[in-house]
Amino acid sequence: MAACLCTVLLSGCFTETTSIHGFVPTEYTLDQIAEGASREQVLLTLGTPSTTADFGGEVFYYISQTRKQPVAFMRSRPVDQTVVAVYFDDEQRVARTARYGLKDGKLFDFSRQVTPTGGKDTQFLSRLVEGIGAGIGE
């Protein structure tokens, strides 16, 4: 009986858990943010951004991360990261939106299926996505 009880109690320790942190927008939600939408419409639809930037124009970043923990007492590790960026023009209207993630360890733009090269914004996004894993879940 004791062996059965120990087996049942320990089985919970060896169950992999998956957790999602941050904002995970659906395609429907992102479709609601059209070019020309106001800053207020973005805030009403997507909520407060995870972080913002003002490099030649305001940008809202909505960040999410999926982490897996193989065993209850081990550290979780990131398995997926996504950054949704909403770029505004000088009139505080949406200029464009982009969804970035990691593909083979490099920043990847899901909407255009390309890996961005050069530019201040790409460097900022790279540091942002790379730095997420170090701060969440520790």
Side-chain angles (χ1 to χ4, degrees), residues 6 9 11 18-19 23 26 36 52 61 67 77 82 85 90 94 106 115 127 132 137:
C6 286
L9 291 176
S11 67
T18 302
S19 58
F23 178 71
T26 63
T52 61
Y61 295 102
R67 300 181 69 85
R77 61 182 171 77
T82 302
D90 294 336
V94 174
K106 296 184 179 183
T115 303
R127 281 186 261 132
I132 291 172

Side-chain angles (χ1 to χ4, degrees), residues 44-113:
L44 286 172
T45 304
L46 300 178
T48 305
S50 303
T51 190
T52 61
D54 194 9
F55 297 114
E58 190 173 23
V59 184
F60 285 0
Y61 295 102
Y62 296 89
I63 304 165
S64 68
Q65 184 178 64
T66 302
R67 300 181 69 85
K68 289 198 179 211
Q69 185 177 20
V71 180
F73 52 85
M74 293 182 72
R75 282 187 149 189
S76 62
R77 61 182 171 77
V79 293
D80 186 35
Q81 298 178 74
T82 302
V83 176
V84 173
V86 181
Y87 298 89
F88 294 95
D89 61 17
D90 294 336
E91 298 173 2
Q92 296 296 304
R93 298 270 178 200
V94 174
R96 69 182 179 97
T97 60
R99 201 170 125 214
Y100 300 101
L102 290 178
K103 183 175 182 177
D104 301 324
K106 296 184 179 183
L107 191 62
F108 183 77
D109 185 344
F110 288 107
S111 60
R112 292 185 292 159
Q113 301 289 311

